[in-house]
């Protein structure tokens, strides 16, 4: 790598034939990227694109970094552009990027100033800062020459980008004006009688432990910090640490965190309660209690049993009272007594508690009734009635909301959680299986703690319970591209954020073995090492894993590539039947997308994961995005996507834009194999990212408008796409783009399913001609129609379902303004 850069630097030139002065700069505060200005004939400088950022730094985490200072541009003898810049203010990291045209950039590279390449840069670069005046303001930068044709191309390019940005910023709140003269429309939808197979797995879910989706969310555990392993470095929340969510009342209990002879080295901390006073003083004294406040309180259902479990050792026979107590009234809603025998070793205890009242603010109180030193750990309270009644299972109402989406696959455990904030934070799947006390708790890069009680085994179990394919995503031995945490491998300013680190190559074989072991855990016979562990966890039958993701929207750098290739080929060699899902970066374009697809083609990767969070209008105007994708070779998993409006609401506008786009995704279901909206879950008051598909609190589950779009698609998916042509009778291209349709067939039922979207403020009446599918004289077609409608800003749509008896396969259907209609026709 270094060699090529030095070679490139040796040939750098700042001169081009031709005669335009080009000024190269970036804002002095480092915000923004490479900007260019050109000297006009009148001698004045003009900012190209009014300060357009041609490329931004990708170095370091979001927020505090990704900045650029003192950009320098050069051309190589081959005519390529090389950009060098300071990626940190004091210049202890040098960034470099290359481009053939200043518009499309290859992935960035970074160097220490002492690096040979950087030294070459320093010696070659005659950096003489110049100050010019643009619009009367002084700007620092440097000047080089380029030709007028280049300037012309740049102007056109920026104008085009700005035109697109303008287009994508069209929101429904401008519809009144935009479509002020639009009258109700008519159109035709004609099925032409041909069809193609599409993926039956198109609709799935993306589960990541973000927004308290797992601990405090889907995972059924009601005790917060049950293992006393919260680490102060995980969160900025006041008091965050091993005793977070725990407290004592009264003056007879000294509570401390101890570490001597823990249950397991992976869980070094436990609670030590030094209880003073004898039975006489404590027996009637409920004031001396050890209390857990749950995740914002514990929610209990009247009459439902809850299983309290803990591990304890005590140096004196210890009667205990345990109770679930309303914080508001102080009333004990359920209580039980048990006696702990004096023991040097950890012992397990269990008791069922059944509250006699509903409560949403309960605490768990443990009241010791004798003096002694009581050690406690893994204090857990679970509803017995979890989803499908599984021990260590999932919160039933939330899991049901996910099951109701009828997802054909579940991706887990992220997102960024999968590749982690720095190498030390990569989600190691092995640390998430086995006995709960032996699992390795993990810092969650969204700013909290993962018990990993909801670990790989539970994810697999959930997939089986809802009949969805598991799609685990593992890191490609590189951490998140936005990492901000050094790891044990970090050693200089370049690796200080962990971002540019790959697992050292001499450790890669171990890592690859971990990946292969996961497949054995899921699919191996019980006689295999990892298959046996699955059986020990209660599941002797294989989970039948078919897909595995390697990497999550990573920067496609050399560091990534060499690791990805090794992992991919090892998996394909050992398990050719497994579909490997690679990654093409976080956007629908740009260097990671381009390089990711190049790599996919070169390596013949089975499938790649595309991500894009975009304006609703991007979805409206890019319905042809997949139309020209190569049908042979690498398939697409649209793994993270959502429509984002300013302020990030979920409303009818976002839901309809997604419904519209999905008609195009279905049309391309021969190349797009899977898709999943992201993120999935968000807990009230603990939300790091909006919008999400489902919001929830301890007491309620609130599906969004977008949820209903995904549910309607999930409930009505097909495996065959019936080709059709849609024609809307208007010359207004913007109106045309807002009406969409797709027809699929579900081989399980034989039903035909029409999905029709009208994202316009007027009705569109569609004449639907299915005579090429049904026999001409078919009469009496039974159909079920669901219409979701509402004003664009509505967050609560109207959803109505009715039965419609059609007397012919040629019929007229009115699509209400701002509506999504699903019609299921018996065949
Ligand atoms: O979905 C939220 C985050 O978005 C994911 O963790 C990450 O992959 C993407 O940037």
């Amino acid at each position: 790598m270094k060699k090529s850069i030095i070679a490139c630097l040796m040939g750098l030139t700042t001169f081009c034939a031709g005669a335009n002065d080009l000024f190269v700069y970036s804002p002095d505060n480092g915000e923004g990227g490479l900007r260019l200005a050109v000297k006009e004939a009148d001698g004045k400088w003009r900012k190209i694109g009014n300060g357009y950022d041609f490329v931004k730094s990708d170095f370091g985490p979001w927020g505090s970094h990704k900045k650029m200072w003192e950009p320098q541009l050069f051309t190589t003898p081959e005519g390529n552009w090389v950009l060098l810049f300071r990626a940190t203010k004091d210049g202890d990291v040098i960034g470099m990027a290359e481009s053939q045209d200043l518009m499309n950039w290859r992935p960035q590279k970074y160097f220490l100033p002492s690096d040979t390449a950087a030294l070459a840069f320093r010696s070659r670069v005659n950096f003489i800062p110049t100050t010019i005046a643009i619009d009367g303001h002084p700007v620092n930068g440097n000047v080089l020459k380029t030709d007028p044709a280049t300037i012309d191309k740049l102007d056109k390019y920026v104008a085009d980008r700005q035109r697109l940005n303008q287009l994508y910023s069209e929101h429904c709140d401008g519809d009144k004006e935009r479509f002020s003269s639009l009258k109700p429309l008519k159109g035709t939808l004609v099925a032409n009688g041909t069809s193609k197979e599409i993926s039956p797995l198109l609709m799935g879910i993306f589960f990541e432990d973000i927004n308290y989706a797992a601990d405090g969310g889907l995972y059924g555990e009601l005790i917060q910090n049950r293992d006393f392993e919260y680490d102060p470095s995980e969160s900025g929340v006041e008091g965050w640490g091993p005793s977070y969510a725990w407290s004592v009342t009264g003056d007879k209990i000294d509570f401390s965190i101890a570490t001597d002879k823990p249950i397991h080295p992976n869980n070094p901390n436990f609670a030590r309660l030094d209880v003073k006073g004898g039975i006489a003083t404590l027996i009637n004294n409920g004031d001396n209690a050890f209390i857990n406040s749950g995740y914002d309180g514990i929610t209990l259902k009247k009459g439902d049993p809850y299983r309290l479990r803990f591990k304890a050792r005590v140096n004196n026979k210890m009667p205990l009272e345990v109770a679930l107590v309303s914080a508001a009234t102080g009333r004990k809603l359920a209580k039980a007594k048990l006696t702990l025998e004096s023991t040097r070793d950890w012992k397990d205890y269990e008791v069922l508690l059944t509250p006699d009242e509903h409560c949403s603010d309960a605490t768990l109180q443990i009241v010791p009734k004798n003096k002694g030193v009581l050690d406690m750990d893994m204090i857990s309270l679970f509803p017995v009635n979890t989803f499908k009644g599984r021990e260590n299972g999932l919160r039933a109402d939330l899991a049901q909301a996910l099951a109701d989406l009828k997802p054909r696959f579940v991706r887990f455990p992220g997102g960024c959680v999968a590749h982690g904030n720095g190498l030390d934070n990569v989600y190691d799947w092995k640390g998430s299986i086995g006995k709960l006390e032996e699992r390795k708790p993990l810092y969650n890069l969204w700013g909290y703690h993962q018990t990993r009680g909801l670990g790989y085994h539970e994810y697999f179990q959930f997939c089986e319970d809802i009949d969805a394919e598991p799609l685990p995503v593992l890191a490609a031995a590189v951490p998140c591209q936005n990492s901000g945490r050094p790891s044990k491998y970090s050693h200089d300013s370049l690796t200080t954020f962990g971002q540019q680190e790959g697992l050292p190559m001499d450790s890669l074989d171990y890592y690859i073995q971990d990946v292969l072991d996961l497949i054995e855990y899921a699919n191996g016979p019980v006689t295999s090492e990892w298959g046996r562990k699955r059986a020990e966890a209660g599941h002797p039958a294989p989970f039948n894993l078919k897909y595995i993701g390697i990497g999550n929207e990573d920067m496609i750098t050399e560091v990534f590539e060499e690791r990805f290739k090794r992992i991919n080929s090892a998996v394909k060699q050992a398990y050719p039947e497994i579909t490997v899902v690679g990654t093409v970066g976080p956007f629908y374009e740009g260097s990671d997308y381009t390089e990711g697809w190049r790599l996919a083609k070169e390596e013949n990767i089975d499938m790649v994961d595309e991500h894009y969070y975009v304006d609703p209008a991007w979805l409206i105007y890019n319905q042809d995005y997949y139309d020209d994708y190569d049908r042979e070779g690498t398939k697409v998993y649209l793994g993270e996507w959502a429509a984002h409006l300013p302020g990030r609401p979920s409303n009818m506008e976002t839901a309809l834009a997604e419904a519209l786009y999905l008609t195009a995704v279905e049309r391309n279901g021969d190349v797009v194999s899977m898709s999943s909206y992201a993120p999935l879950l968000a807990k009230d008051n603990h939300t790091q990212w909006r919008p999400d598909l489902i919001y929830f609190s301890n007491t309620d589950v609130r599906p969004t408008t977008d949820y209903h779009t995904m549910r309607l698609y999930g409930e009505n998916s097909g495996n065959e796409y019936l080709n059709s042509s849609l024609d809307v009778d208007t010359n207004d291209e913007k109106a045309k783009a807002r009406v969409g349709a797709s027809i699929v067939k579900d081989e399980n039922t034989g039903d035909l399913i029409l999905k029709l979207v009208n994202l316009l403020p007027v009705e569109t009446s569609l004449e639907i001609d299915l005579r090429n599918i049904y026999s001409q004289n078919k009469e009496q077609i039974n159909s079920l129609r669901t219409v979701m409608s509402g004003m664009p800003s509505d967050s609560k749509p109207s959803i109505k379902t009715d039965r419609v008896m059609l007397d012919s396969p040629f019929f007229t259907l009115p699509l209400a303004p701002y509506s999504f209609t699903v019609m299921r026709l018996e065949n």
Side-chain angles (χ1 to χ4, degrees):
M1 173 181 85
K2 285 175 190 166
K3 253 192 191 159
S4 66
I5 285 161
I6 294 167
C8 154
L9 286 163
M10 296 314 282
L12 295 178
T13 165
T14 55
F15 296 100
C16 283
N20 267 109
D21 278 347
L22 191 65
F23 189 69
V24 179
Y25 69 103
S26 66
D28 285 344
N29 60 6
E31 310 285 347
L34 167 68
R35 297 184 183 177
L36 301 170
V38 61
K39 200 181 215 173
E40 302 285 41
D42 61 4
K44 289 194 177 144
W45 290 96
R46 171 180 65 84
K47 293 191 234 173
I48 298 183
N50 202 21
Y52 181 83
D53 290 317
F54 283 86
V55 61
K56 288 185 162 187
S57 168
D58 219 347
F59 184 74
W62 290 111
S64 53
H65 285 81
K66 302 216 185 287
K67 293 187 179 175
M68 180 182 289
W69 287 270
E70 297 175 1
Q72 302 272 298
L73 262 188
F74 306 92
T75 50
T76 63
E78 298 77 41
N80 290 337
W81 294 92
V82 177
L83 166 71
L84 293 155
F85 61 93
R86 301 195 196 289
T88 55
K89 194 167 175 33
D90 54 9
D92 56 4
V93 174
I94 309 290
M96 178 195 174
E98 288 171 274
S99 170
Q100 288 185 339
D101 54 14
L102 291 173
M103 299 170 262
N104 301 293
W105 293 85
R106 302 220 45 223
Q108 293 171 20
K109 294 170 181 163
Y110 307 100
F111 307 94
L112 292 171
S114 57
D115 194 293
T116 336
L119 286 172
F121 154 56
R122 289 207 152 164
S123 64
R124 294 274 314 163
V125 175
N126 189 9
F127 181 66
I128 309 169
T130 315
T131 303
I132 61 157
I134 309 183
D135 301 333
H137 299 289
V139 183
N140 299 317
N142 56 101
V143 183
L144 70 153
K145 300 268 183 208
T146 192
D147 57 291
T150 300
I151 303 294
D152 192 44
K153 272 190 208 148
L154 294 178
D155 276 332
K156 285 194 176 125
Y157 168 76
V158 175
D160 196 47
R161 301 299 296 189
Q162 291 175 340
R163 181 188 61 79
L164 286 176
N165 286 344
Q166 181 76 23
L167 196 63
Y168 300 155
S169 67
E170 281 180 6
H171 299 141
C172 287
D173 56 9
D175 278 1
K176 213 171 164 191
E177 209 179 311
R178 188 173 303 115
F179 298 119
S180 59
S181 54
L182 197 69
K183 300 277 177 287
L185 295 172
K186 288 193 186 323
T188 55
L189 175 67
V190 181
N192 70 15
T194 63
S195 68
K196 63 179 172 185
E197 268 183 39
I198 57 169
S199 167
L201 300 184
L202 211 47
M203 301 306 295
I205 54 179
F206 159 95
F207 182 88
E208 172 166 24
D209 189 3
I210 180 173
N211 310 319
Y212 276 64
D215 291 298
L218 184 61
Y219 184 44
E221 177 62 82
L222 296 167
I223 300 300
Q224 180 159 202
N225 195 10
R226 68 179 176 197
D227 53 6
F228 305 93
E229 299 299 336
Y230 276 23
D231 188 297
S233 70
E234 293 170 332
S235 165
V237 170
E238 202 187 328
W240 196 271
S243 50
Y244 188 77
W246 292 98
S247 59
V248 288
T249 54
D251 59 1
K252 298 284 185 282
I253 304 175
D254 276 348
F255 163 40
S256 60
I257 298 295
T259 54
D260 52 304
K261 297 199 190 130
I263 300 167
H264 192 272
N266 288 347
N267 266 287
N269 297 331
F270 53 87
R272 173 156 292 160
L273 306 179
D274 191 351
V275 189
K276 300 182 181 68
I279 288 191
T281 40
L282 288 163
I283 201 81
N284 292 320
N285 188 348
D287 289 336
N288 292 287
F290 183 43
I291 297 172
N292 186 273
S293 54
Y295 291 93
D296 301 337
I298 297 172
T299 291
L300 303 168
K301 282 193 194 143
K302 177 182 174 182
D304 270 12
Y306 293 82
R307 187 178 287 117
L308 175 70
R309 281 182 171 151
F310 58 86
K311 293 177 186 290
R313 67 181 176 201
V314 61
N315 63 357
N316 200 7
K317 186 170 177 171
M318 176 76 74
L320 277 190
E321 183 184 283
V322 291
L324 296 170
V325 181
S326 160
T329 64
R331 203 177 151 260
K332 289 184 180 160
L333 312 171
K335 63 181 177 187
K337 290 188 172 151
L338 54 164
T339 300
L340 316 187
E341 294 303 324
S342 165
T343 162
R344 283 163 181 259
D345 297 321
W346 291 97
K347 273 195 69 176
D348 289 307
Y349 297 90
E350 178 176 326
V351 65
L352 281 186
L353 295 165
T354 305
D356 59 6
E357 250 180 46
H358 286 301
C359 182
S360 59
D361 70 345
T363 61
L364 170 71
Q365 299 204 356
I366 298 170
V367 183
K369 298 283 186 182
N370 197 6
K371 70 177 175 187
V373 177
L374 168 60
D375 292 342
M376 299 188 84
D377 205 353
M378 301 304 292
I379 305 173
S380 163
L381 182 75
F382 254 87
V384 171
N385 299 325
T386 55
F387 186 66
K388 306 270 180 195
R390 303 225 170 264
E391 275 192 27
N392 193 47
L394 307 181
R395 183 176 144 178
D397 55 354
L398 267 182
Q400 189 58 51
L402 302 187
D404 290 346
L405 287 162
K406 299 276 184 295
R408 304 306 318 280
F409 67 90
V410 181
R411 166 182 163 180
F412 56 88
C416 289
V417 157
H419 55 177
N421 190 351
L423 271 179
D424 291 340
N425 191 228
V426 166
Y427 194 104
D428 57 320
W429 74 269
K430 288 180 178 170
S432 79
I433 58 159
K435 292 181 182 163
L436 294 179
E437 64 275 17
E438 294 180 10
R439 298 187 186 185
K440 286 188 192 152
L442 193 66
Y443 154 66
N444 184 315
L445 51 66
W446 297 106
Y448 54 103
H449 177 90
Q450 300 177 82
T451 63
R452 300 211 287 171
L454 172 50
Y456 261 70
H457 189 87
E458 290 74 22
Y459 286 124
F460 281 131
Q461 184 62 66
F462 179 53
C463 290
E464 188 175 87
D465 285 344
I466 61 170
D467 195 19
E469 301 289 348
L471 171 49
V473 174
L474 294 107
V478 296
C480 178
Q481 76 278 17
N482 301 314
S483 287
R485 270 197 162 195
S487 76
K488 57 178 167 285
Y489 305 103
S490 308
H491 52 276
D492 53 32
S493 54
L494 196 59
T495 52
T496 187
F497 300 121
Q499 179 202 27
Q500 305 305 319
E501 280 178 347
L503 190 71
M505 291 306 274
D506 57 7
S507 300
L508 196 58
D509 284 343
Y510 297 103
Y511 187 78
I512 289 172
Q513 192 55 50
D514 270 5
V515 177
L516 300 179
D517 289 346
L518 173 63
I519 300 171
E520 186 174 288
Y521 184 87
N523 293 352
V526 293
T527 47
S528 65
E529 181 186 354
W530 291 95
R532 183 166 54 247
K533 291 188 198 293
R534 181 191 69 238
E536 282 163 9
H539 202 288
F543 282 119
N544 200 13
L545 176 71
K546 299 190 190 95
Y547 304 88
I548 193 165
I550 303 295
N552 173 60
E553 61 172 44
D554 298 282
M555 290 167 89
I556 313 295
T557 57
E558 288 168 21
V559 172
F560 168 85
E561 272 194 41
E562 62 181 339
R563 285 158 184 78
F564 176 87
K565 282 184 194 167
R566 288 268 306 274
I567 302 169
N568 182 40
S569 60
V571 171
K572 292 309 289 184
Q573 202 176 349
Y575 298 101
E577 71 282 10
I578 294 281
T579 297
V580 173
V581 184
T583 179
V584 294
F587 302 115
Y588 56 82
E589 62 176 8
S591 65
D592 297 322
Y593 175 85
T594 309
E595 295 299 316
W597 269 107
R598 184 217 10 100
L599 182 66
K601 299 283 177 198
E602 276 171 22
E603 296 295 305
N604 199 16
I605 301 172
D606 299 324
M607 200 183 288
V608 290
D609 179 10
E610 293 189 349
H611 294 181
Y612 39 88
Y613 297 98
V614 289
D615 281 292
W618 188 94
L619 299 175
I620 293 172
Y621 292 117
N622 284 281
Q623 290 175 61
D624 59 352
Y625 188 72
Y626 293 113
D627 290 357
D628 295 331
Y629 267 47
D630 185 1
R631 268 38 203 176
E632 306 302 319
T634 305
K635 301 284 184 207
V636 175
Y637 164 38
L638 174 50
E640 291 186 28
W641 75 293
H644 282 185
L645 277 168
R648 304 282 189 96
S650 300
N651 58 24
M652 280 300 288
E653 179 170 359
T654 55
L656 290 177
E658 288 153 8
L660 185 70
Y661 194 67
L662 280 171
T663 62
V665 172
E666 275 192 338
R667 184 176 70 243
N668 286 285
D670 52 336
V671 64
V672 184
S673 298
M674 300 176 165
S675 73
S676 46
Y677 180 101
L680 186 61
L681 294 173
K683 187 167 191 178
D684 294 349
N685 305 319
H686 298 283
T687 298
Q688 295 93 38
W689 180 293
R690 282 175 190 278
D692 304 277
L693 210 56
I694 301 172
Y695 292 90
F696 68 94
S697 67
N698 286 344
T699 49
D700 64 358
V701 175
R702 302 189 308 279
T704 57
T705 43
D706 309 63
Y707 174 92
H708 293 297
T709 290
M710 302 306 151
R711 177 180 61 78
L712 287 169
Y713 269 89
E715 285 173 348
N716 294 289
S717 58
N719 60 308
E720 189 182 345
Y721 183 80
L722 305 177
N723 296 311
S724 61
S725 42
L726 172 69
D727 191 19
V728 180
D729 190 14
T730 173
N731 292 327
D732 184 337
E733 294 301 321
K734 294 197 174 191
K736 263 192 206 293
R738 284 161 167 84
V739 181
S742 77
I743 311 174
V744 297
K745 186 170 177 180
D746 170 17
E747 74 177 347
N748 296 321
T749 58
D751 290 352
L752 283 194
I753 303 154
L754 274 62
K755 306 200 180 72
L756 309 158
V757 182
N758 182 21
L759 187 36
L760 287 170
V762 297
E763 180 182 290
T764 300
S765 178
L766 272 193
E767 198 169 71
I768 299 176
D769 186 351
L770 305 178
R771 285 174 294 182
N772 286 323
I773 302 173
Y774 288 95
S775 65
Q776 291 280 345
N777 48 7
K778 170 104 176 162
E779 288 173 6
Q780 299 276 301
I781 305 171
N782 232 323
S783 78
L784 190 68
R785 172 175 61 177
T786 303
V787 181
M788 170 162 104
S789 61
M791 291 308 287
S793 59
D794 287 351
S795 57
K796 288 200 173 61
S798 143
I799 302 178
K800 291 192 176 129
T801 299
D802 60 354
R803 293 214 159 267
V804 180
M805 186 63 82
L806 303 167
D807 51 17
S808 149
F810 186 33
F811 56 98
T812 301
L813 194 72
L815 307 182
Y818 298 123
S819 67
F820 173 33
T821 301
V822 178
M823 253 190 124
R824 218 182 158 101
L825 277 63
E826 275 178 9
N827 203 354

